[in-house]
Amino acid sequence: PEVCLRFEVGPDAAVRSPLAVQNGFLHMLVRSYTAEFFMSFLTNLGPFLEDEIIPEVIPMEIEVVDAKITLKDDNPQVYPTSPGPVPITLAVDHILVKRRDDGVFYVTDKPVSVLQEQKALAECVEAAPAPAAHGLQLKEVPELQRELQTMKLALAEASMDKARLLQEIRKYNPLFQL
């Protein structure tokens, strides 16, 4: 995984937000992160996040690219013959969490910088001579990417349906194998 942090403070940070001049501005980029957490980890985070003092608002942007987080239930099983719950996997292609001067966190999926990177990439592809053997036009690339994303979502949904059906079958026949 790749993690980049940048903290700006002072007059140069005014381009980020007016509050960043005095409190600073934090930009964090997390790329290619994979982790597994138990559900009890999430439920026990609450006491660590509580505080009696209201913190100063620090404007920030947290950008997560190509991350996969798997949540596993580690609670005791209610039924001893049950195979247990299926782990939940959260796959993040690209997400941006912004905290503005009002202290509210905003979640977006396509930051402007990504659109600019895609435009720059398209310009580079246009400038480079494309081999005739591939036959792909630049206009077809975004369409193919959208189609690939749709197929990935359909595959993930089918996989979840399969796991759910297997879990349902194993309720009635714990020894069932596929």
Side-chain angles (χ1 to χ4, degrees), residues 5-92:
L5 289 172
R6 184 177 70 211
F7 187 75
E8 298 176 44
V9 68
D12 291 340
V15 295
R16 302 288 188 174
S17 83
L19 187 60
V21 174
Q22 67 183 38
N23 289 359
F25 182 84
L26 175 69
H27 183 259
M28 180 174 167
L29 170 67
V30 178
R31 185 181 304 269
S32 302
Y33 181 72
T34 304
E36 289 185 3
F37 295 115
F38 289 114
M39 293 297 279
S40 62
F41 168 79
L42 294 178
T43 56
N44 292 325
L45 272 180
F48 292 104
L49 298 175
E50 294 176 2
D51 201 353
E52 291 88 24
I53 302 170
I54 298 173
E56 290 182 11
V57 174
I58 298 176
M60 65 179 70
E61 285 184 5
I62 302 171
E63 196 170 352
V64 180
V65 180
D66 189 29
K68 185 184 267 189
I69 298 172
T70 302
L71 299 173
K72 294 182 177 182
D73 190 3
D74 59 337
N75 292 325
Q77 290 185 352
V78 177
Y79 301 105
T81 59
S82 172
V86 177
I88 299 169
T89 300
L90 174 66
V92 177

XYZ file of all heavy atoms in Angstrom, residues 5-92:
685
model
N 0.972 11.722 2.931
C 0.392 12.764 3.780
C 1.031 14.104 3.454
O 2.247 14.175 3.253
C 0.636 12.467 5.260
C -0.129 11.320 5.871
C 0.392 11.048 7.279
C -1.597 11.633 5.939
N 0.211 15.144 3.421
C 0.726 16.495 3.233
C -0.077 17.416 4.145
O -1.304 17.386 4.140
C 0.579 16.936 1.782
C 1.195 18.315 1.545
C 1.118 18.737 0.108
N -0.274 19.008 -0.201
C -0.814 18.827 -1.393
N -0.112 18.353 -2.381
N -2.076 19.096 -1.606
N 0.617 18.213 4.924
C -0.033 19.166 5.817
C 0.452 20.564 5.461
O 1.660 20.818 5.447
C 0.298 18.845 7.284
C -0.471 19.691 8.253
C -1.811 19.436 8.486
C 0.130 20.734 8.913
C -2.529 20.209 9.375
C -0.576 21.517 9.805
C -1.907 21.249 10.044
N -0.485 21.438 5.155
C -0.159 22.817 4.804
C -0.749 23.741 5.854
O -1.858 23.514 6.339
C -0.767 23.185 3.448
C -0.272 22.377 2.288
C -0.997 22.735 1.007
O -1.197 23.934 0.739
O -1.380 21.811 0.285
N -0.022 24.795 6.176
C -0.514 25.812 7.101
C 0.098 27.146 6.698
O 1.183 27.192 6.111
C -0.191 25.442 8.577
C 1.286 25.508 8.852
C -0.973 26.286 9.553
N -0.608 28.227 6.983
C -0.090 29.547 6.658
C -0.776 30.140 5.434
O -1.770 29.611 4.939
N -0.239 31.242 4.941
C -0.884 31.957 3.832
C -1.039 31.119 2.564
O -1.992 31.290 1.822
C 0.044 33.143 3.576
C 0.894 33.270 4.783
C 0.935 31.941 5.436
N -0.101 30.208 2.307
C -0.200 29.382 1.099
C -1.382 28.415 1.157
O -1.870 27.965 0.123
C 1.091 28.590 0.882
C 2.256 29.490 0.495
O 1.998 30.623 0.033
O 3.404 29.056 0.656
N -1.843 28.072 2.347
C -2.958 27.136 2.499
C -4.308 27.808 2.268
O -5.335 27.141 2.233
C -2.924 26.511 3.896
N -4.322 29.128 2.063
C -5.575 29.849 1.845
C -6.289 29.390 0.580
O -7.511 29.509 0.477
C -5.322 31.348 1.794
N -5.539 28.863 -0.389
C -6.189 28.360 -1.606
C -7.045 27.134 -1.305
O -7.989 26.842 -2.035
C -5.162 28.037 -2.719
C -4.455 29.279 -3.186
C -4.180 26.982 -2.265
N -6.736 26.404 -0.241
C -7.510 25.225 0.145
C -8.800 25.617 0.861
O -9.851 25.088 0.577
C -6.692 24.305 1.054
C -5.417 23.828 0.453
C -5.698 22.826 -0.603
N -4.453 22.210 -1.056
C -4.414 21.223 -1.886
N -5.517 20.713 -2.366
N -3.261 20.732 -2.264
N -8.677 26.525 1.840
C -9.834 27.037 2.576
C -9.368 28.188 3.467
O -8.199 28.225 3.867
C -10.490 25.942 3.412
O -9.826 25.777 4.630
N -10.280 29.096 3.795
C -9.896 30.216 4.671
C -9.427 29.746 6.051
O -8.513 30.327 6.628
C -11.173 31.046 4.779
C -11.986 30.673 3.590
C -11.628 29.248 3.276
N -10.041 28.707 6.580
C -9.677 28.209 7.909
C -8.304 27.534 7.912
O -7.638 27.460 8.941
C -10.755 27.233 8.404
C -10.635 26.737 9.840
C -10.700 27.913 10.814
C -11.729 25.743 10.142
N -7.858 27.063 6.756
C -6.577 26.361 6.659
C -5.392 27.271 6.961
O -4.327 26.792 7.331
C -6.417 25.747 5.274
N -5.574 28.576 6.851
C -4.488 29.516 7.138
C -4.050 29.382 8.593
O -2.858 29.326 8.886
C -4.925 30.963 6.827
C -3.872 31.959 7.262
C -5.242 31.110 5.353
N -5.016 29.281 9.512
C -4.652 29.181 10.935
C -4.630 27.753 11.461
O -3.779 27.407 12.274
C -5.596 30.036 11.787
C -7.025 29.529 11.821
C -7.930 30.439 12.602
O -7.785 31.644 12.520
N -8.856 29.871 13.348
N -5.550 26.880 11.004
C -5.610 25.517 11.528
C -4.852 24.507 10.678
O -4.599 23.395 11.124
C -7.058 25.054 11.657
C -7.794 25.757 12.779
O -7.227 26.585 13.481
N -9.053 25.437 12.936
N -4.562 24.859 9.441
C -3.851 23.957 8.557
C -4.802 23.174 7.665
O -6.019 23.199 7.832
N -4.227 22.469 6.695
C -4.989 21.636 5.771
C -4.249 20.312 5.618
O -3.053 20.289 5.345
C -5.127 22.324 4.404
C -5.947 21.536 3.431
C -7.322 21.631 3.444
C -5.342 20.682 2.530
C -8.101 20.897 2.553
C -6.100 19.943 1.637
C -7.482 20.052 1.650
N -4.966 19.223 5.801
C -4.383 17.889 5.706
C -4.888 17.208 4.444
O -6.099 17.143 4.214
C -4.767 17.042 6.925
C -4.315 15.579 6.904
C -2.802 15.490 7.029
C -4.989 14.792 8.001
N -3.965 16.714 3.638
C -4.328 15.906 2.477
C -3.693 14.533 2.651
O -2.496 14.416 2.895
C -3.847 16.539 1.168
C -4.276 15.753 -0.029
N -3.429 14.907 -0.689
C -5.468 15.658 -0.661
C -4.087 14.339 -1.691
N -5.321 14.770 -1.688
N -4.517 13.488 2.533
C -4.035 12.121 2.708
C -4.475 11.288 1.512
O -5.631 11.354 1.095
C -4.616 11.523 3.991
C -4.177 10.125 4.271
S -4.817 9.640 5.889
C -4.538 7.910 5.855
N -3.556 10.527 0.956
C -3.841 9.642 -0.164
C -3.465 8.220 0.241
O -2.344 7.973 0.686
C -3.038 10.049 -1.402
C -3.064 9.080 -2.577
C -4.453 9.011 -3.189
C -2.059 9.489 -3.623
N -4.431 7.302 0.122
C -4.195 5.894 0.411
C -4.473 5.132 -0.881
O -5.561 5.233 -1.440
C -5.109 5.384 1.540
C -4.871 3.907 1.794
C -4.907 6.194 2.801
N -3.491 4.370 -1.343
C -3.620 3.657 -2.617
C -3.262 2.187 -2.414
O -2.326 1.856 -1.698
C -2.669 4.290 -3.632
C -2.768 3.748 -5.026
C -1.769 4.413 -5.952
N -1.881 5.845 -6.004
C -2.647 6.515 -6.872
N -3.354 5.852 -7.750
N -2.685 7.825 -6.853
N -4.039 1.300 -3.021
C -3.795 -0.152 -3.014
C -3.735 -0.718 -1.591
O -2.823 -1.455 -1.244
C -2.502 -0.485 -3.758
O -2.556 -0.014 -5.076
N -4.727 -0.413 -0.775
C -4.783 -0.870 0.604
C -5.718 -2.074 0.711
O -6.825 -2.058 0.196
C -5.278 0.258 1.507
C -5.356 -0.107 2.958
C -4.204 -0.268 3.714
C -6.581 -0.307 3.586
C -4.272 -0.609 5.056
C -6.652 -0.646 4.925
C -5.497 -0.793 5.647
O -5.565 -1.124 6.974
N -5.263 -3.130 1.355
C -6.074 -4.316 1.595
C -5.962 -4.673 3.069
O -4.859 -4.719 3.618
C -5.570 -5.503 0.742
O -5.574 -5.110 -0.630
C -6.457 -6.709 0.915
N -7.130 -4.914 3.700
C -7.118 -5.245 5.126
C -8.315 -6.109 5.472
O -9.315 -6.131 4.754
C -7.141 -3.976 5.968
N -8.188 -6.835 6.586
C -9.280 -7.611 7.152
C -9.474 -7.162 8.587
O -8.505 -7.087 9.355
C -8.981 -9.104 7.109
C -9.012 -9.704 5.738
C -8.831 -11.220 5.759
O -8.734 -11.804 6.856
O -8.780 -11.799 4.675
N -10.713 -6.840 8.951
C -11.043 -6.420 10.303
C -12.171 -7.292 10.841
O -13.037 -7.728 10.100
C -11.511 -4.953 10.343
C -10.453 -3.967 9.962
C -10.588 -3.205 8.817
C -9.334 -3.777 10.747
C -9.634 -2.280 8.454
C -8.362 -2.859 10.391
C -8.521 -2.108 9.239
N -12.146 -7.517 12.156
C -13.265 -8.168 12.811
C -14.302 -7.109 13.141
O -13.975 -5.943 13.378
C -12.814 -8.882 14.090
C -11.985 -10.105 13.829
C -10.655 -10.156 14.196
C -12.553 -11.207 13.206
C -9.896 -11.282 13.958
C -11.800 -12.341 12.960
C -10.465 -12.375 13.335
N -15.559 -7.496 13.149
C -16.643 -6.562 13.443
C -16.475 -5.973 14.846
O -16.817 -4.825 15.074
C -18.002 -7.252 13.311
C -18.333 -7.666 11.894
S -18.469 -6.294 10.759
C -20.123 -5.776 11.122
N -15.928 -6.745 15.781
C -15.736 -6.226 17.134
C -14.761 -5.057 17.134
O -14.847 -4.167 17.982
C -15.235 -7.337 18.063
O -13.983 -7.821 17.617
N -13.841 -5.026 16.177
C -12.918 -3.898 16.048
C -13.700 -2.612 15.801
O -13.443 -1.586 16.413
C -11.936 -4.162 14.906
C -11.122 -2.969 14.503
C -10.032 -2.571 15.244
C -11.457 -2.233 13.374
C -9.279 -1.472 14.870
C -10.720 -1.134 12.989
C -9.628 -0.749 13.743
N -14.672 -2.681 14.896
C -15.464 -1.490 14.586
C -16.352 -1.080 15.756
O -16.488 0.107 16.054
C -16.324 -1.733 13.351
C -15.572 -1.918 12.042
C -16.538 -2.210 10.912
C -14.749 -0.687 11.719
N -16.960 -2.057 16.426
C -17.859 -1.719 17.519
C -17.105 -1.174 18.732
O -17.673 -0.431 19.522
C -18.703 -2.939 17.944
O -17.831 -4.018 18.273
C -19.642 -3.353 16.841
N -15.832 -1.518 18.869
C -15.048 -1.030 20.002
C -14.297 0.262 19.709
O -13.555 0.751 20.559
C -14.059 -2.103 20.465
C -14.769 -3.283 21.086
O -15.792 -3.122 21.750
N -14.265 -4.469 20.849
N -14.475 0.819 18.526
C -13.825 2.088 18.195
C -14.477 3.283 18.890
O -13.829 4.298 19.114
C -13.874 2.337 16.678
C -12.756 1.770 15.851
C -12.974 2.110 14.389
C -11.407 2.260 16.297
N -15.752 3.158 19.208
C -16.512 4.260 19.794
C -15.844 4.946 20.976
O -15.683 6.171 20.983
N -15.423 4.204 22.009
C -14.804 4.856 23.170
C -13.533 5.647 22.821
O -13.226 6.642 23.458
C -14.470 3.686 24.107
C -15.422 2.605 23.719
C -15.647 2.778 22.255
N -12.804 5.211 21.793
C -11.585 5.917 21.423
C -11.886 7.220 20.673
O -11.068 8.128 20.653
C -10.688 5.028 20.560
C -10.118 3.867 21.317
C -10.629 2.596 21.140
C -9.094 4.055 22.231
C -10.113 1.524 21.838
C -8.580 2.986 22.940
C -9.088 1.720 22.748
N -13.066 7.278 20.045
C -13.422 8.468 19.278
C -14.131 9.522 20.123
O -14.258 10.663 19.702
C -14.304 8.073 18.088
C -13.635 7.139 17.075
C -14.638 6.720 16.014
C -12.433 7.792 16.439
N -14.617 9.133 21.298
C -15.306 10.079 22.165
C -14.291 10.967 22.875
O -13.210 10.539 23.243
C -16.144 9.340 23.201
C -17.293 8.569 22.591
C -18.048 7.765 23.639
O -17.704 7.844 24.840
O -18.973 7.054 23.245
N -14.690 12.209 23.065
C -13.808 13.152 23.749
C -14.665 14.218 24.409
O -15.710 14.599 23.880
C -12.837 13.782 22.746
C -11.607 14.361 23.419
O -11.568 14.395 24.664
O -10.695 14.774 22.705
N -14.227 14.726 25.557
C -14.971 15.773 26.247
C -14.699 17.141 25.640
O -15.472 18.061 25.783
C -14.603 15.817 27.745
C -15.079 14.616 28.527
C -14.079 13.477 28.505
O -12.868 13.728 28.302
O -14.501 12.331 28.683
N -13.577 17.293 24.976
C -13.193 18.576 24.398
C -13.550 18.579 22.919
O -13.250 17.638 22.195
C -11.672 18.814 24.562
C -11.302 18.775 26.044
C -11.259 20.126 23.919
C -9.810 18.767 26.285
N -14.210 19.646 22.489
C -14.544 19.764 21.073
C -13.272 20.150 20.329
O -12.658 21.173 20.608
C -15.649 20.812 20.854
C -16.911 20.368 21.587
C -15.913 21.008 19.366
C -18.018 21.381 21.582
N -12.838 19.326 19.376
C -11.572 19.595 18.683
C -11.704 20.748 17.691
O -12.799 21.093 17.255
C -11.296 18.286 17.950
C -12.640 17.696 17.728
C -13.485 18.119 18.900
N -10.550 21.327 17.369
C -10.527 22.358 16.338
C -10.785 21.689 14.991
O -10.328 20.582 14.739
C -9.159 23.041 16.293
C -8.866 23.911 17.482
C -7.517 24.601 17.339
O -6.923 24.574 16.248
O -7.070 25.175 18.335
N -11.501 22.390 14.136
C -11.787 21.858 12.808
C -10.553 22.047 11.934
O -10.043 23.147 11.793
C -12.998 22.573 12.176
C -13.192 22.121 10.740
C -14.244 22.308 12.995
N -10.070 20.950 11.383
C -8.959 20.996 10.439
C -9.518 20.562 9.085
O -9.928 19.411 8.927
C -7.804 20.065 10.860
C -7.235 20.508 12.193
C -6.730 20.036 9.786
C -6.150 19.610 12.738
N -9.572 21.479 8.127
C -10.033 21.084 6.804
C -9.110 20.006 6.238
O -7.902 20.048 6.445
C -9.937 22.373 5.982
C -9.853 23.469 6.981
C -9.226 22.891 8.198
N -9.698 19.046 5.536
C -8.882 17.938 5.022
C -9.532 17.285 3.823
O -10.722 17.450 3.577
C -8.640 16.907 6.113
C -9.866 16.195 6.609
S -9.540 14.964 7.890
C -9.095 15.966 9.278
N -8.712 16.538 3.100
C -9.160 15.667 2.025
C -8.488 14.315 2.234
O -7.277 14.245 2.373
C -8.758 16.200 0.651
C -9.554 17.359 0.171
C -9.172 17.788 -1.229
O -8.339 17.118 -1.873
O -9.696 18.814 -1.675
N -9.300 13.273 2.270
C -8.774 11.912 2.371
C -9.202 11.192 1.092
O -10.396 11.044 0.837
C -9.310 11.183 3.615
C -8.938 11.963 4.872
C -8.787 9.757 3.667
C -9.595 11.462 6.129
N -8.235 10.784 0.321
C -8.500 10.147 -0.962
C -8.087 8.682 -0.873
O -6.962 8.373 -0.501
C -7.690 10.870 -2.039
C -8.116 10.605 -3.428
C -7.423 11.543 -4.412
O -6.729 12.498 -3.996
O -7.570 11.294 -5.607
N -9.022 7.786 -1.192
C -8.756 6.355 -1.142
C -8.935 5.794 -2.561
O -9.986 5.966 -3.172
C -9.715 5.635 -0.166
C -9.424 4.149 -0.125
C -9.620 6.243 1.219
N -7.877 5.147 -3.055
C -7.879 4.609 -4.413
C -7.529 3.120 -4.354
O -6.544 2.741 -3.725
C -6.850 5.351 -5.301
C -6.844 4.789 -6.708
C -7.125 6.841 -5.314
N -8.352 2.310 -4.987
C -8.104 0.874 -5.119
C -7.866 0.206 -3.753
O -6.790 -0.314 -3.479
C -6.919 0.626 -6.056
C -6.760 -0.836 -6.410
O -7.768 -1.560 -6.420
O -5.621 -1.260 -6.666
N -8.884 0.234 -2.907
C -8.774 -0.360 -1.574
C -9.792 -1.480 -1.419
O -10.849 -1.467 -2.058
C -8.997 0.694 -0.504
N -9.456 -2.455 -0.590
C -10.363 -3.563 -0.326
C -10.300 -3.881 1.163
O -9.240 -4.206 1.688
C -9.965 -4.789 -1.143
C -10.932 -5.949 -1.006
C -10.428 -7.157 -1.745
C -11.028 -7.141 -3.131
N -10.744 -8.397 -3.848
N -11.446 -3.772 1.834
C -11.533 -4.033 3.273
C -12.551 -5.143 3.485
O -13.678 -5.060 3.009
C -11.939 -2.766 4.046
C -10.879 -1.685 3.843
C -12.128 -3.073 5.521
C -11.257 -0.337 4.395
N -12.143 -6.180 4.198
C -13.023 -7.316 4.486
C -13.377 -7.280 5.968
O -12.497 -7.175 6.816
C -12.326 -8.643 4.140
O -11.957 -8.613 2.759
C -13.244 -9.820 4.389
N -14.682 -7.355 6.248
C -15.174 -7.363 7.624
C -15.660 -8.773 7.950
O -16.491 -9.332 7.238
C -16.318 -6.369 7.793
C -15.979 -4.908 7.517
C -17.237 -4.060 7.561
C -14.963 -4.408 8.512
N -15.118 -9.342 9.040
C -15.503 -10.684 9.464
C -16.208 -10.595 10.808
O -15.759 -9.880 11.703
C -14.262 -11.577 9.606
C -13.560 -11.846 8.300
C -12.378 -12.759 8.516
C -11.704 -13.092 7.207
N -10.587 -14.003 7.399
N -17.295 -11.333 10.936
C -18.047 -11.355 12.188
C -17.376 -12.332 13.143
O -17.232 -13.514 12.838
C -19.492 -11.761 11.919
C -20.377 -11.556 13.132
O -19.889 -11.043 14.160
O -21.565 -11.893 13.052
N -16.963 -11.825 14.312
C -16.305 -12.684 15.295
C -17.157 -12.868 16.549
O -16.664 -13.300 17.580
C -14.922 -12.133 15.659
C -14.981 -10.730 16.221
O -15.961 -10.010 15.942
O -14.044 -10.334 16.936
N -18.455 -12.571 16.446
C -19.365 -12.793 17.566
C -19.631 -14.282 17.727
O -19.528 -15.047 16.765
C -20.690 -12.058 17.328
C -20.498 -10.555 17.378
O -19.691 -10.056 18.139
N -21.239 -9.842 16.547
N -20.002 -14.711 18.922
C -20.325 -16.132 19.105
C -21.537 -16.510 18.249
O -22.457 -15.723 18.078
C -20.655 -16.264 20.594
C -20.408 -14.949 21.195
C -20.104 -13.962 20.141
N -21.498 -17.733 17.711
C -22.595 -18.192 16.859
C -23.848 -18.450 17.689
O -23.773 -18.972 18.803
C -22.204 -19.466 16.128
C -21.170 -19.245 15.072
C -20.893 -20.517 14.283
O -21.371 -21.591 14.624
N -20.121 -20.390 13.228
N -24.991 -18.061 17.124
C -26.271 -18.281 17.797
C -26.664 -19.753 17.678
O -27.090 -20.367 18.645
C -27.361 -17.368 17.181
C -28.716 -17.641 17.816
C -26.976 -15.912 17.353
N -26.485 -20.313 16.483
C -26.819 -21.718 16.244
C -25.525 -22.492 15.998
O -24.785 -22.172 15.076
C -27.745 -21.850 15.038
C -29.021 -21.082 15.207
C -29.226 -19.886 14.520
C -30.020 -21.539 16.061
C -30.396 -19.170 14.685
C -31.184 -20.830 16.228
C -31.374 -19.639 15.539
O -32.520 -18.930 15.706
N -25.236 -23.500 16.808
C -23.959 -24.218 16.666
C -23.792 -24.933 15.323
O -22.684 -25.153 14.872
C -23.954 -25.215 17.821
C -25.287 -25.162 18.450
C -26.039 -24.004 17.904
N -24.872 -25.306 14.651
C -24.761 -26.006 13.376
C -24.636 -25.060 12.195
O -24.384 -25.497 11.077
C -25.983 -26.917 13.156
O -27.157 -26.112 13.178
C -26.047 -28.011 14.205
N -24.803 -23.782 12.435
C -24.719 -22.795 11.355
C -23.271 -22.601 10.925
O -22.353 -22.611 11.751
C -25.274 -21.453 11.836
O -25.040 -20.453 10.877
N -23.028 -22.448 9.628
C -21.649 -22.232 9.170
C -21.126 -20.841 9.531
O -19.952 -20.570 9.385
C -21.744 -22.391 7.655
C -23.151 -22.056 7.336
C -23.966 -22.502 8.515
N -21.991 -19.982 9.991
C -21.576 -18.641 10.382
C -21.797 -17.643 9.255
O -22.058 -18.010 8.111
N -21.690 -16.379 9.583
C -21.937 -15.347 8.575
C -20.808 -15.275 7.542
O -19.659 -15.618 7.821
C -22.010 -14.058 9.385
C -21.312 -14.354 10.653
C -21.432 -15.821 10.896
N -21.168 -14.837 6.376
C -20.215 -14.678 5.278
C -19.509 -13.332 5.458
O -20.161 -12.324 5.752
C -20.954 -14.716 3.924
C -19.998 -14.491 2.775
C -21.681 -16.032 3.761
N -18.191 -13.280 5.320
C -17.486 -11.994 5.439
C -17.979 -10.993 4.394
O -18.372 -11.365 3.289
C -16.025 -12.355 5.188
C -15.935 -13.815 5.416
C -17.271 -14.378 5.083
N -17.951 -9.721 4.758
C -18.369 -8.642 3.864
C -17.107 -7.966 3.336
O -16.230 -7.596 4.117
C -19.222 -7.610 4.624
C -20.481 -8.264 5.164
C -19.568 -6.435 3.729
C -21.234 -7.382 6.135
N -17.023 -7.824 2.020
C -15.877 -7.155 1.424
C -16.334 -5.842 0.825
O -17.282 -5.799 0.048
C -15.231 -8.032 0.340
O -14.806 -9.255 0.946
C -14.031 -7.338 -0.273
N -15.658 -4.789 1.207
C -15.936 -3.456 0.699
C -14.785 -3.088 -0.231
O -13.648 -2.935 0.211
C -16.035 -2.448 1.854
C -16.193 -0.992 1.493
C -17.534 -0.754 0.809
C -16.081 -0.123 2.723
N -15.091 -2.980 -1.516
C -14.072 -2.617 -2.506
C -14.299 -1.173 -2.922
O -15.398 -0.793 -3.314
C -14.155 -3.537 -3.718
N -13.256 -0.365 -2.816
C -13.341 1.055 -3.144
C -12.453 1.323 -4.349
O -11.241 1.121 -4.287
C -12.887 1.928 -1.944
C -12.914 3.389 -2.313
C -13.756 1.664 -0.737
